Structures are given as C-alpha cells and as structure tokens.
Amino acid sequence: YRTLAAADSVVMLIDCVKGVEPQTIKLFKVCRMRGIPIVTFINKLDRPGLDPFELLDEIEQTLGIPCSPANWPVGSGSEFRGVYDRWHNRMLQFERLDRGARPAPVLVRDLHDQALRDLLGPTDHQQLVEDLELLEAGEPFEQSAYEAGELTPVFFGSAVTNFGVEPFLEQFIDLAPE
C-alpha cells in the first residue's frame, strides 16, 4: 500500500484463469481513491482460461472501471494464436519458439487484409472480426479518462512465454504520465 503512495501509474495484472482476485480488489481501491491511472495486462493467454469478454465484464462489474482493449486475443490455451493490436492494425502471432526468439509482427492494412485471413484461416479470422465488431460498441479509449483513473486500457499476453510483454511495455511508456 505504501508503494502506491508514490506511484504515478500502475499495471494491474489479471490472471485469465482466476480473474479478479481479492488482493487486486484491495489494491485497486487504493488506486481509485488516489486517482492513479491503471493499465491492465491480462496474463496467461497460452493456458485455458475465462472468455476475454467475461474477463472484461468481471473487471468492469467488480472494480467499477470501464475497459478499453488495446489488443484482442485470437484463441486461448492450446489454441492461442496471438493478439490483434487494435491501435496499430497488426497481428502479433504467438509461436512457441526457442528462448529469446520472436516472430515478427504481421502488419495489416485493415481487419479484412488477405495476409491476416491467410495467417488465421477462415474460422479464426471470422471470430476475430465478430469480436472486434462487438468491441466497437464498447468504451473507446480516451487518454484523459485513463489519466484520471476512470478508464483502463487492456492488453492481453503471456508473460511466462514473453509474448505481448514488449509491445505492452512500449505502450505503457507512452501512456503513463512522465
């Protein structure tokens, strides 16, 4: 709790299997009371877990803060394919590789780009399109709402496999107050 007194912004780590945990609720209340901006990282997408929409709903209902996903997972558990970066129109492909190796992001012009269709296949591509259409009806990201602690941008990834961590940290540097 004392550490939060000096924080300018925080990362809220949510386990995709467990969802919002009791200690997270306690720490969140301190952040909310102090108006500290919160960035959310939903972890362990390479393991079977809760549906991403259920996780967002749990965060919003339990913690009372709207979520605005910056990226969106394609599959989960053994079917985890990666995340679509909504802010940069690119697919970050998940592959189990040798330590330190990473596949290059697949840049796409838009969601209907043939390169993305080829990468995901028709079923996963259609699911991604439908999921992102649902997200469009949700909370748009606004920097001022984030800085006031009234909105949390959400990122998905897998820290143990180092997937999605680097792009998340790059965005965190840009988002967090100087």
Side-chain angles (χ1 to χ4, degrees), residues 17-28:
V17 177
K18 297 177 183 176
V20 178
E21 298 180 73
Q23 188 64 18
T24 303
I25 296 169
K26 291 177 188 175
L27 293 169
F28 178 83

Side-chain angles (χ1 to χ4, degrees), residues 14-141:
I14 303 291
D15 183 315
C16 81
V17 177
K18 297 177 183 176
V20 178
E21 298 180 73
Q23 188 64 18
T24 303
I25 296 169
K26 291 177 188 175
L27 293 169
F28 178 83
K29 287 180 182 176
V30 174
C31 293
R32 192 48 153 313
M33 181 179 66
R34 297 196 171 141
I36 299 172
I38 300 166
V39 178
T40 301
F41 187 85
I42 298 180
N43 194 24
K44 300 182 182 177
L45 267 287
D46 60 319
R47 299 181 186 174
L50 299 171
D51 176 79
F53 285 108
E54 288 178 35
L55 288 163
L56 295 179
D57 188 55
E58 182 178 2
I59 292 167
E60 291 180 354
Q61 296 302 315
T62 305
L63 302 176
I65 188 168
C67 297
S68 181
N71 65 23
W72 191 253
V74 178
S76 67
S78 63
E79 301 297 316
F80 182 52
R81 306 285 307 275
V83 295
Y84 182 80
D85 182 339
R86 297 176 66 213
W87 290 357
H88 298 101
N89 287 330
R90 63 183 180 168
M91 177 71 190
L92 303 174
Q93 185 178 4
F94 175 74
E95 295 179 24
R96 294 189 190 274
L97 299 171
D98 292 334
R99 191 175 187 102
R102 293 174 255 198
V106 177
L107 299 176
V108 295
R109 289 184 303 278
D110 63 43
L111 190 55
H112 301 287
D113 193 309
Q114 189 61 43
L116 185 60
R117 289 175 192 261
D118 293 344
L119 176 69
L120 297 179
T123 304
D124 285 343
H125 181 262
Q126 184 59 36
Q127 185 64 54
L128 177 62
V129 169
E130 290 172 9
D131 287 353
L132 294 179
E133 286 174 355
L134 284 173
L135 291 176
E136 288 302 317
E139 199 71 38
F141 178 76

